[in-house]
Structures are given as C-alpha cells and as structure tokens.
C-alpha cells in the first residue's frame, strides 16, 4: 500500500489538485536531463521510497546517452526492471550502433527496437510522468530529449486470486475478486468474452486517485442507468476512496435507509450474472468488493448458488431465507407482544410454562429481550474482531457459559435465551451481510414498537417498513420491483426460482434493452428432428 | 428516472379501488346485511355490488370524458365555475369525512379487541401520521404499497375465514328468498355503502395510464370487492348463525375469536387478525386522504398537493375524535353512507348526463 | 436540512412513546390465568357467588417446584359474592396481587340453583366480553359449582383442562351434549333461550359429565339422563360413537355394539293440526361383545341388526317424549327445520309453536348395518 503513504506525505503541489483528476500537462519537460531530475526531485521531495537510477546507455565509452530511470520502491516489479529495461538498455544496446541516431530517431529506436517491456507510453509533461511513477510505472528520462517514456512495470506485492471469504458456496467457482482493479476486470472479462462488455474507468479521490470502473454490457444494460451511474460518479469529490463502501455511500439514492441500495459481491460469477441481467458493475481499485446497481430488495436475498442447484432445492432455500428474514426482524417483537400484551394467543400450556420461567425474573420482557440482544451484538462484534480460535472461544464462553449462568441467576428466562439465539442465527441466514445488519437494527425498532403497543406496534412497524420500501428507489428503479403491480411474470424468479428454461426473460427491474435471455432450446422428447439423429 | 411519471397502470388502478373499498366493512357488513335481510344476506350483498357497479360505470363514463382535465375543472366546464367549486368542496369534505370515520371505527375496534387501556388518540394519530407520510410521495408509491400489502391481508383473511368453517351450518342461509323485495333493496342500499370506493378514482383519473380501460377497471375491481364481501358475509353467517350475527357489533371478529391455528401453534388469533386488519384500514384511509388532498388542491388550484396533505391532517384528526361513543360512530358511519349515495351515485349521474347533453348541444350549436 | 429533520422526528417519537406508551402492557407473570369460572347462587339476596380457579404458575413448573416447597395444591381458587361475573372479577382486584385474565378460561360451570334462576346474566357477560375463549365449555352442575371446583384431581395439572378434556371423549360415549361456548351463544340467540347443556356431577375425587340440563327460556327446567341424552343426540345427528347394549331373547349375556358412523335425516311427513316428523338415523356399528356361544352368520346378523334398530328407536323416542311431555321445549330443531326447509308451513304453526310442539307426532325409522364383528366368528 505504499502508494497511499506516498501520496499522504506529499506536500501540496499544484498539479495534483485539479478537480477532474487529470494531472497538470502544462509543465513541460526540459531537454536537459539534470534540469528534469531537479524538477522531479522537487515534486517528490522527502519521498524516501523514490528510486532514481542514472546510467549511460550502451557502451559507456562510445556513447554519451545519459538516461535516468525513476520508480517507486515496492510498486514495481524489480525483475521486470532488471531484465527488460536495464539489461536491454545497458547490455543489449551495445550491439546496436547508436552513434548517429539523435533526437526523435533515437527515441524511436529505443521504443521500437530496444525496450522489451510490454507496454510503454510517451509523454512530454511532468504531470503525467509523476502520476505514472506513483502508480507503479517506471519513468525513463533521456538526456537531450524533451520527452520521456512511461514503462509499465507495475508489480507490487499482491494477494492472488483466492476463494472469497464472505460468500462461500458449495457449488460454484472458487475464485474471488482481489484488491487489484485490472485483475478484477479481467476476472469478469474472462467470463464474458463479448466486445459489448464495456469498461469505463473514472478516477476518484483527490489524494488516492483510485481507479473506479463502470462495467456494463452494451445492448443489455439500460443506457439511462449507465449514464446515471457515470453522472453520479463524476460528481463525487472526496479526498480518498479506500473501499467501494465510500462510493456506495456517496452515490446512493437515500442515505437514511437501513437498506443497501447496492448489492456487493466478492464473486466474479455473481458479478457476471448481474451484468447479464442488465445491471451495472462498479469495480473499485484496492478492494475485492464489487458493487452492483440497481438493486431490489429481493435480489439481496438471491445467491449465485440458487441458479446452480436444481430449481426446487433453490426455491426451498430461498423460501427458507425469506422465512429467516421474517424471523430475524419480527421474532423478539412478536414474543414481547404475545407475552406482555396478548398472552391469550399462546396455547395454554405454553403460556403457563413461559409464565413459570418468567417467575422471578426481575425485568419486564422488553428489558429482558433488550439485554439479551445487546449482549449478543457485543458477542458477535467481539467474535469477529478476535483471531479465529479466540473468536470461537468467545462464542462458546459468551453463548453457553454466560447464557446458562444468566438463566441460573434468574436474570433472564431460558425461553428468551432460545428465542434470541434463534433470532440471531436467522438474521445471518440472509446471504447479504449489510442487509443482515440492517435487519438487526430493524429488530430493535420492532421490539420497541411491540413493547409500546403489542401486535399493533408490530403492525405499525411493518406498515412503516413497507411505506419506506415503496418509496425507496435504487437508481430510479423501485426497490420492491417487481411486486409493484399485479403482473405475475416477475414472480418466477423472486421468492421461488422457477426452472431455468422457463426464465426466458431478464428481470424487469433493470429495464434491459434486450429482454430475451434465451430461446427455447430444450430437446423435446417427441421432437421429430432430434429423433432422426439417433436413427 | 424510469418509472417516475407517477401514473398507474390498469392493474394498479384495480388495486387502488379494491383497497379503498375493503375497509371497516369487513367487520360490520355481515351484521348490516343480516339485519336487513336475514338469511338472504348474501343476495343483499350481491345486489349491493350490482348497484355499486352501476355507480362505478357512471364514474367511469365521467373519467373517460375528462380528457386530461381534473374532475373539478370538468364540473366547472359543465356547470360553470361557482358550481364546480362548490361541488369540489363537497367532494373534498366527503373524502375527508370518510377518512376520519374509517379511522375512528378502526380505533374503536383496536380498543375493543387488542389494547383496552390505550387511548383512541394513539391509534388515530399513529395511523394518520403514517398515511400523511405515504401520500406525500404521490399516487404511484401509494398504489404500490397497496399492491405490496395486498397478499399480506388478503391471504390470511381468507385463510382465517376458511378455518372458521369447521362447524359451519350452511342451513343458516335457509329459507331462501323469503325477504320482501323492498327490504332486499333497502338492505342492498345499506350494504352497498361498504362496497363503494370507486369514487377515489375520480380524483386520481389524471394518473391513469390507459383511460380507455376504465370500464374494465371498474368491472374487475367491483367484482373482486363484491366476491370478497359475499365470501365474508357467507362464512360469518354460516358459522355464527343469523341471530347472533345481527346482535354482534363486529361479527367477523367474533368468528375469528373462535378459531385456532391448526396444530395448536396459536390458541386464538383475534389480536393477530386485528393487526392484519390495520393494513386494510390503512390503505382505505390513505386512498381517501389522498383523494381529499387532491380535490382541495384542484379546487384552489394549488401547485403542490402536499400543502393540503398538511392542512387536512388536523381536520381529519378532529373529525375522527368527534363522536363520543361507538353508537355515535355508527351514526356517523350511517351519515357518511348517505353522503356517499350523493357523491357516488346522484352527483355523478347528474354530471354525466349534463356532460353528455353539453357535448351534444355544443356540437350542434 | 434533512438530517436535522430526521433526528428531530426520531427524538419526538421516542419522547411520545416514552411519555405515553405501554398502557396495556401487563407481563405474563403479572397475570392470573383463570381456568374455571363457577357461578352459584349466593346465600344472601339475589347475588351470585362467583368462583375463579387459576393455576399457581410457580408450583407447576418442575424447577419452580423445588423452590416453591413442593407441597400444597397447584390450583388456587377464590370466590366472592357479587351482582355479576364482571363485578366479581373487579372485586377480586382488592384481594389478588395480579390481574385476573380470562383468555385461557376453559370451563364455565353454572350451579343448579343459579341456573334455575336464569342464565341471562351469563349470556350477556359472554356476549359483551371479548376475552373469554369461545372454544371453552359451559355446563350446568348438579348441585353446587363450588363442589365441582373443590374436587382435587390427580390427573392433570390444570383443573380446567381436566374438565374440558373430558369432552374430547365424546367420540366414545355421546351421552352428554358436546357444546362449546361459541355453539351455546349461537343457539341461545337463535332459539331465544332454549338450549341443552351438559350436566356435570361432582364426585369425591373426580367429576363425571353425562346427561343434559334442559334450559327453557334461559332457565333450567330439568335434567335428561344419559340414555335420554343419547336419544336426543341421535335426533340432532350429534352421535359420533358409543356403545349400545341389549339382550337377545334367551341369552344371559348381552350383545354390545359400538357405533361407527351415523347420519340422521329429519323430514316432515304430514302437516295436519299437528305436524308429523319422521326421523331416520342410518347407523353403522361393530359388534364388540356377544355371548360366548353365539354363532354369527347371515341370519344372526340380520336379527342383530333388527334388534339394534329396535333399541335405537326406543332410545330416541324416550328422549323425545321426555322433552315433549315433561319440559315442552323444542331443543330438537323441529321448529328450526320447518323454518328453514318449509317456510310456508312454518308460517302456519309459528304463532303457537310452543303449544303445538308437545303434540308433534314423531316416528323413528332406524336403519342399522353391522360392519365389523371383531376377530372372532
């Protein structure tokens, strides 16, 4: 992460503070190499990780081609610099007669004939040059030339493509996004080999200058959504973007809502599927979390595995998730409403046994539930932060020992412990973590409402929730689509997942340009044509 | 950006009318129908549905003639501006009144069946605040809410009523057709009051995407409402009997009180049923509140209807808190019912006829 | 600004809830779940003596038992003299630490004397009250309701459950009236106070439910015994099972039949000065016991069927006659049948039905079929 430190320590110089992130191109290079190096050192003064290597090209006895190679320690691939730049210019160049080539001809010679790096660029100003160096490229300044070369030698220490941590699946590809922008784009591109997959890169962050890519498939994604995404991204003016969460919060429709207006994923296959449905991807450098927009409430409950497994398994699992979500939001509030307001609803035996366990508990049911829920939140947070084995210990100590002790001590009733445990478990059965956390918050609100007005309070909460959800939009798309009109086509892939061959159309919510996802391709059992093949 | 034009499709218009029509009537209609026609109660409801459908088609005829004008503007066009304004105000008051009466009836039920000690004001204010917040967002989000909530009340209510049929006695509906015709008609008129709700479309007509389908909207929605209410009345009567139904203020609740979830998960479901019923009331209140705001906005030609959303808030609240007890609430309901004969039938017929005459006369002259 | 508005709204609603909220909140451990309500005539005045029983929750649960000292009854019962049931419940709040709560009430017992004075009060209480479980049971106690509530049963933890669950056995005997509070309310309104209720007879260690209390015009007028009740249940089509025992000529040991299935049809045969009804039950029965040496073949079955039919006819007629002659109250649904299916004829009888009913002619035509004969020939 050297790049951020470098930028952080930088003294303010004029070229880096343009609003549009393009470096100042007005400061042109000089012809004299010493002059150039002086300016360069001015820019990157007090940057100890800067490497400037001066050398003479070819045979030092015969030629007087002084050069300087500039890069940042740790951001470049050292092997590349040694083998492809230094060796080429210092050793292999000796076989080339260089004496007569000067000026442009000389530059051309180097570009075309000598340097064996894969990608290079020419520039005539300091702005681009400095920025390139900071991005991990190598700058090559040549004496007597007012142009310099930018050689792509990016190669910092990075994590390889690994299995994603947050969205594990049983069936499905194992690769996950990494922290490198280009790798991430490539992971998507590898799945969609289509010239219509467009990648538009925007630089965001005055200091971090993070690459943020907008990916979409032309001809599927609705142009107005793409436009809207780009428009909002271009409006962002912030000092730094360290994670896609920054982007998410800067460009979302409603920041008051508990509900994320983006889906986020670590899995390239999910990202590719989203693209195929007409969504827009926002890939942000330095984070493996990719944003998907627009999103709806229901798509947050969908997992990539739903489409890999057979349809009824997938449907059942989805139903389970929705049930779990309902439990996660409403279980404690329902319990409080029934125990404190409508005990008549409980079966007599259950009412008596709950009454018996509540006997001697000093707090009201609401307070009891709040105590349990808060301590569970604390446990969860502590468990996440601590390293694996200790985290588990916390879980066991907290869950078993403290829970059991609390019951023994008569502070909470055992039924409450069961209930809160079930509630917590079901809240994390929702595949999307940010939704799950949002639900945890809702649980508290519902609990308060239930303790004020019983089931009516719960219903008020539900009404308030639906009122909020129907007015919420994600990039102009109603958050509750497609359940906004009595049209049943969208219901095939919503709470259940219909057999794949019947999902002939893309979901409506992305308003895709091309709606058809597939043509009827199933082999008919009694089809005339197919049978001939066998005979 | 994409679906932001605040207009509703045919299906959504149906949802709007159904949600506006189904409300407090679920709980009280069986009593009203049985009181006037005894075992012929279901015929009364069907007849009421037919009458309501007639009114709905008249309203549909008016909507077709609006051609992008607001309802108030259209009346002004036909009768002149002063009459238009007066009628507009009448309609505005009517919508406000219905919203208030429905709210009050709801609060009474809540107090009786769920939370005895909680003051009425609490119920009225909480629901009113929510609806005021919702209708600020306009017609389309409101209708969207109705669509989203529809399965949440419709399926459980049907399921509960079916559960209550475990010892139903269908012979309660006998003898067949022994009620004198004039009583049937009278009963049809009084039960029709639970079935109206189509008049809210008058004010929201500008938000209709396909005006030419308005007759379909009316027929389908009145069909759904009538079928649903007939189902409610029949199930309540066959499981409670004629005599007890006619003596109970909210017979449907009494029926719900006797069922338990199969498998003894829940001992009884009345609190749950009331909670679900809140949704039904909420959508009705929203529909009328919205209609009232729009009507006043058109009358005063205000630019933003949100102003009237705020202005009407205290008035609805006050009107809802006015009756002293449940009997007065019943009187108010009756009054609102008679009012709706005026606004849903008489006035629309007059307006439609006058409009047609004007068209004909205008074309010749 | 939007943020400020939201914070303001949040604070305001929290304040509203904090200041005003929780009017109705009564935690489950602050309530007494009344299981039985017993209603007797008080010794003084016209007042009622109302008795409530409720479980002592602490003593019921296993764990609580350790702390609660184990001993003593798990059921508490309190009684008070008041004008009405509701008033009695209110009076209790002077004496009890927790609120009385009726949503789990299973059984309402009316003492004989109180029932003779009239049960309008109970009916009114039940119709206005929105708490009491409509699937609970209501019955008349032979003697005092108090005595029935004093019985210490060892079978169930809850006294009310003990009584209410006896009704579940009606599959096997059909000799009492299977009626819930809901059915009671329904029929008491439609017949204007003529209804049959079950009879409960308290014993020393247990109670027994059998027979019926005949309520006429909201007042108890008399009792039907078990067999008469069975006959009435045959007419009402409410028999679900039960045994019939009779002796065949020349045998010492009786034949026992178990009823499997029954359907009853009622029809009007003649509408003269007094209408004539025909009741035709269709019975399917199994043979449970026979004399040891009985050989069961086709002829024997025929004769058994014949005897069974005869027996059922007798039972029904006995029950119907008693209601007609002794109590003169139509709880058998004859009037209802006319009203529903023959409204024109009903017009003719309606005015004077109370006087016509005792002289209604009833014929019974039972058709019995024997299906199972057990595991022996």
């Amino acid at each position: 992460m050297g790049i951020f430190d470098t930028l952080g320590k930088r003294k303010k110089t004029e070229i880096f503070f343009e609003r549009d992130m393009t470096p100042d191109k007005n400061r042109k290079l000089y012809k004299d190499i010493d002059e150039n190096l002086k300016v360069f050192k001015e820019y990157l003064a007090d940057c100890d990780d800067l490497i400037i290597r001066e050398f003479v090209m070819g045979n030092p006895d015969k030629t007087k081609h002084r050069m300087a190679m500039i890069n940042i320690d740790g951001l470049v691939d050292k092997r590349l610099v040694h083998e492809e730049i230094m060796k080429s210019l210092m050793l292999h160049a000796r076989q080339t007669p260089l004496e007569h080539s000067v000026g442009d001809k000389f530059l051309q010679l180097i570009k075309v004939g000598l340097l064996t790096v894969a990608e290079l660029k020419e520039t005539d100003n300091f702005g681009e040059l400095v920025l390139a160096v900071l991005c991990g490229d190598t700058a090559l300044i040549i004496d007597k030339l007012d142009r310099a070369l930018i050689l792509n030698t990016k190669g910092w220490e990075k994590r390889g493509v690994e299995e994603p941590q947050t969205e594990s699946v049983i069936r499905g590809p194992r690769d996950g996004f990494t922290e490198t922008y280009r790798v991430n784009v490539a992971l998507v591109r590898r799945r969609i080999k289509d010239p219509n997959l467009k990648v538009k890169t925007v630089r965001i962050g005055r200091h971090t200058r993070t690459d943020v890519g907008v990916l979409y498939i032309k001809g599927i994604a609705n142009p107005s959504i793409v436009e809207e995404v780009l428009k909002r991204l271009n409006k962002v003016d912030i000092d730094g973007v360290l994670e896609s969460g920054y982007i998410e919060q800067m460009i979302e429709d409603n920041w008051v809502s508990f509900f994320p207006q983006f889906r986020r994923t670590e899995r390239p296959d999910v990202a590719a599927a989203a693209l195929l449905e007409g969504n827009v991807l926002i890939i942000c450098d330095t984070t493996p979390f990719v944003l998907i927009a627009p999103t709806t409430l229901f798509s947050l409950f969908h997992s990539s595995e739903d489409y890999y497994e057979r349809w009824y398994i997938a449907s059942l699992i989805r139903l389970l998730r929705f049930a779990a979500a309902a439990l996660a939001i409403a279980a404690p509030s329902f319990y409080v409403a029934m125990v404190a307001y409508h005990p008549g609803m409980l079966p007599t035996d259950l009412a008596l046994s709950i009454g018996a366990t509540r006997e001697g508990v000093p707090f009201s049911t609401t307070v009891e539930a709040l105590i349990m829920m808060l301590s569970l939140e604390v446990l969860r947070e502590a468990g996440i932060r601590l390293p694996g084995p200790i985290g588990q210990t916390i879980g066991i100590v907290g869950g078993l020992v403290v829970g059991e002790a609390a019951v023994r001590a008569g502070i909470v009733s055992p039924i409450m412990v069961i209930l809160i445990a079930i509630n917590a478990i079901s809240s994390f059965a929702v595949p999307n973590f940010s939704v799950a956390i949002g639900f945890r918050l809702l649980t508290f609100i519902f609990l308060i409402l239930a303790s004020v007005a019983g089931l009516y309070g719960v219903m008020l909460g539900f009404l308030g929730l639906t009122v909020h959800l129907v007015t919420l939009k994600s990039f102009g798309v109603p958050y509750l689509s497609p359940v906004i009109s009595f049209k049943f086509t969208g219901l095939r892939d919503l709470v259940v997942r219909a057999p794949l061959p019947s999902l002939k159309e893309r979901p409506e919510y992305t308003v895709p340009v091309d709606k058809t996802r597939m043509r009827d391709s199933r082999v008919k059992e009694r089809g005339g044509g197919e049978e001939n093949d066998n005979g | 950006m994409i679906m932001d034009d605040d207009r509703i499709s045919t299906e959504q218009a149906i949802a709007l009318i159904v949600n506006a029509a189904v409300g407090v009537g679920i709980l009280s209609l069986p009593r009203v129908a049985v009181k006037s026609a005894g075992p012929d109660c279901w015929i009364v409801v069907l007849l009421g549905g037919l009458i309501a459908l007639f009114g709905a088609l008249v309203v549909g005829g008016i909507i077709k003639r609006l051609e992008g004008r607001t309802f108030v503007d259209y009346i002004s066009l036909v009768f002149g501006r002063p009459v238009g304004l007066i009628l507009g105000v009448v309609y505005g008051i009517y919508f406000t009144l219905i919203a208030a009466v429905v709210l009050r009836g709801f609060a009474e039920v809540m107090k009786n069946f769920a939370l005895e000690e909680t003051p009425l004001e609490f119920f009225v204010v909480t629901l009113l605040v929510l609806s005021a917040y919702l209708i600020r967002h306009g017609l389309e989000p409101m209708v969207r809410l109705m669509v989203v909530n529809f399965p949440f009340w419709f399926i459980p209510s049907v399921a509960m009523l079916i559960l209550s049929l475990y010892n139903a006695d269908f012979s309660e509906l006998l003898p067949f057709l022994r009620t004198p015709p004039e009583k049937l008609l009278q009963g049809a008129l009084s039960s029709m009051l639970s079935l109206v709700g189509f008049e809210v479309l008058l004010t929201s007509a500008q938000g209709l995407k396909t005006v030419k389908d308005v007759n379909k909207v009316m027929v389908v929605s009145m069909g759904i409402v009538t079928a649903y209410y007939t189902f409610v009345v029949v199930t309540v009567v066959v499981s409670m009997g004629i005599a007890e139904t006619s003596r109970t203020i909210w017979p449907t609740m009494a029926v719900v009180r006797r069922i338990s979830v199969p498998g003894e998960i829940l001992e009884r479901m009345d609190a749950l049923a009331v909670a679900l019923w809140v949704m039904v009331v909420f959508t009705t209140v929203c529909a009328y509140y919205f209609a009232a705001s729009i009507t006043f906005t058109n009358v005063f030609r205000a630019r933003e209807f949100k102003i009237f959303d705020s202005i009407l808030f205290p008035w609805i609240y006050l009107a809802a808190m006015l009756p002293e007890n449940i009997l007065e609430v019943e009187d108010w309901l009756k009054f609102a019912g008679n009012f709706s004969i005026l606004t849903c039938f008489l006035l629309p017929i007059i307006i439609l006829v006058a409009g047609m005459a004007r068209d004909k006369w205008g074309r010749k002259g | 600004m939007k943020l400020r508005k939201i914070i303001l709204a949040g604070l305001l609603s929290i304040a509203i809830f904090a200041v005003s909220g929780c009017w109705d909140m009564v935690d489950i451990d602050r309530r007494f779940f009344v299981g039985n309500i017993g209603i007797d005539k008080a010794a003084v005045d016209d007042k009622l003596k109302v008795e409530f029983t409720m479980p002592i929750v602490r003593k019921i649960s296993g764990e609580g038992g350790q702390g609660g000292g184990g001993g003593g009854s798990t059921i508490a019962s309190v009684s008070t003299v008041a004008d009405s049931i509701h008033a009695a419940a209110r009076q209790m709040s002077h004496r009890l630490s927790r609120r009385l709560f009726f949503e789990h009430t299973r059984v309402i017992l009316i003492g004989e004397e109180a029932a003779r004075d009239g049960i309008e009060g109970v009916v009114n209480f039940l119709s206005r009250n929105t708490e009491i479980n409509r699937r609970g049971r209501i019955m008349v106690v032979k003697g005092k309701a108090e005595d029935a509530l004093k019985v210490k049963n060892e079978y169930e933890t809850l006294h009310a459950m003990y009584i209410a669950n006896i009704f579940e056995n009606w599959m096997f005997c059909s000799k009492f009236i299977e009626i819930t509070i809901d059915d009671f309310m329904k029929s008491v309104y439609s017949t204007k106070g003529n209804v049959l209720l079950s009879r409960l007879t308290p014993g020393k260690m247990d109670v027994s439910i059998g027979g019926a209390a005949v309520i006429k015009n909201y007042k108890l007028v008399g009792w039907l015994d078990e067999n008469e009740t069975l006959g009435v249940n045959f007419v009402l089509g409410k028999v679900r099972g039960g045994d019939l025992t009779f002796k065949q000529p020349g045998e010492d040991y009786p034949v026992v039949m178990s009823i499997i299935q029954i359907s009853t049809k009622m029809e009007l045969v003649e509408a003269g000065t007094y209408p004539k009804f025909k009741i035709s039950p269709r019975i399917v029965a199994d043979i449970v016991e026979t004399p040891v040496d009985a050989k069961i073949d086709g002829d024997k079955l025929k004769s058994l069927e014949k005897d069974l039919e005869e027996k059922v006819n007798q039972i029904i007629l006995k029950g119907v006659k008693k209601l007609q002659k002794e109590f003169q109250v139509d709880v058998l649904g004859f009037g209802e049948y006319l009203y529903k299916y023959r409204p024109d004829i009903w017009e003719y009888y309606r005015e004077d039905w109370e006087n016509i009913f005792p002289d209604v002619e009833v014929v019974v035509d039972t058709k019995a079929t024997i299906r199972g004969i057990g595991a022996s020939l």
Side-chain angles (χ1 to χ4, degrees), chain B residues 49-62 192 196 198-199 218 222 344-345 348-349:
Chain B
L50 273 181
I51 302 175
L53 179 63
F54 169 71
L57 289 177
V58 171
V59 167
I62 296 179
M192 175 212 78
V196 295
F198 52 81
E199 70 274 18
M218 292 302 184
M222 289 324 292
C344 301
F345 296 94
I349 291 173

Side-chain angles (χ1 to χ4, degrees), chain B residues 47 62 132 148 167 197 260 321 361:
Chain B
L47 269 181
I62 296 179
V148 171
N167 62 352
S260 71
M321 297 316 298
W361 179 75

Side-chain angles (χ1 to χ4, degrees), chain B residues 17 27-28 99 113 115-116 162 167 180 210 212 246 298-299 340 362:
Chain B
I17 296 183
L27 300 193
S28 58
F113 287 97
L115 307 163
E116 286 92 5
I162 287 178
N167 62 352
T210 44
K212 63 178 191 324
S246 66
N298 292 341
V299 168
S340 72

Side-chain angles (χ1 to χ4, degrees), chain C residues 145-245:
Chain C
E146 221 178 339
D147 298 333
L149 294 179
K150 266 189 202 133
V151 169
K152 296 257 178 295
N153 88 87
E154 297 281 312
Y155 314 118
E156 301 265 350
T157 40
L158 291 191
H159 198 272
M161 282 303 214
Y162 165 60
I163 297 178
N165 284 349
I166 295 178
F167 275 92
E168 307 290 322
N169 298 339
W170 77 301
M171 298 282 194
F172 307 114
C173 56
S174 301
K175 285 185 180 172
F176 50 81
I177 306 291
E178 200 276 335
I179 190 169
T180 60
I181 293 179
D182 196 60
D183 301 329
F184 167 70
M185 296 299 289
K186 182 174 160 183
S187 49
V188 97
Y189 275 130
S190 49
T191 58
K192 300 206 171 54
N194 300 336
V195 66
L196 288 177
L197 284 178
S198 279
R199 177 177 68 173
L200 182 137
T201 320
K204 273 208 165 58
M205 292 298 292
D206 53 8
V207 297
S208 126
I209 299 176
V214 183
I215 307 240
K216 183 184 182 184
N217 226 346
Y218 297 105
K219 286 187 172 60
L220 175 70
V221 286
W223 307 99
L224 295 180
D225 68 13
E226 273 87 347
N227 277 332
E228 289 155 357
T229 311
L230 182 61
V232 171
N233 275 337
F234 268 119
V235 178
L236 295 172
K238 279 201 165 181
V239 176
R240 283 289 172 282
D243 295 339
L244 289 168
T245 310

Side-chain angles (χ1 to χ4, degrees), chain B residues 104-266:
Chain B
R104 177 56 188 264
F106 146 79
E108 289 287 343
V109 174
M110 289 308 294
K111 214 170 155 51
N112 256 284
F113 287 97
L115 307 163
E116 286 92 5
E117 312 288 329
T118 309
L120 288 169
E121 289 85 349
F122 176 75
F123 301 115
V124 174
V125 165
T126 44
L127 217 61
L128 200 55
V129 166
L130 260 186
S131 21
Y133 176 73
L134 175 62
I135 65 171
R136 285 183 88 81
H137 290 88
L139 175 66
E140 210 262 339
M142 180 181 82
V143 179
R144 214 185 290 157
L145 178 104
M146 293 173 177
V147 174
V148 171
N149 277 354
F150 184 76
F152 284 105
W153 64 262
F154 188 77
I155 297 172
S157 68
V158 171
M160 281 182 192
L161 287 173
I162 287 178
L163 275 180
S164 75
L165 289 176
Y166 67 97
N167 62 352
D169 180 7
F170 280 91
S171 69
E172 288 289 342
L173 294 176
L174 291 171
F176 175 63
L177 260 188
R178 303 287 297 178
T179 325
E182 70 270 12
K183 271 206 137 179
L184 274 186
L185 204 65
Q186 194 194 332
L189 275 179
S190 53
S191 55
M192 175 212 78
L193 306 178
S194 299
L195 300 165
V196 295
F198 52 81
E199 70 274 18
V200 295
L201 204 60
L202 267 182
T203 51
S204 317
Q206 283 176 306
L208 267 180
K209 268 185 198 154
T210 44
V211 176
K212 63 178 191 324
D213 282 347
V214 70
N215 282 344
K216 183 184 148 198
V217 169
M218 292 302 184
V219 171
V220 172
S221 51
M222 289 324 292
I224 293 175
V225 172
T226 313
Y228 181 71
Y229 269 138
T230 314
F231 171 72
V232 170
V233 169
V234 168
T235 42
V236 168
V237 168
V238 296
S239 45
M240 281 236 319
I242 297 287
E244 201 188 349
T245 307
S246 66
R247 289 191 58 140
T248 315
I249 299 182
W250 299 288
T252 315
M253 277 315 297
V255 167
V256 170
R257 268 173 64 203
R258 47 184 255 170
I259 55 175
S260 71
V261 181
E264 300 272 310
I265 305 165
L266 293 179

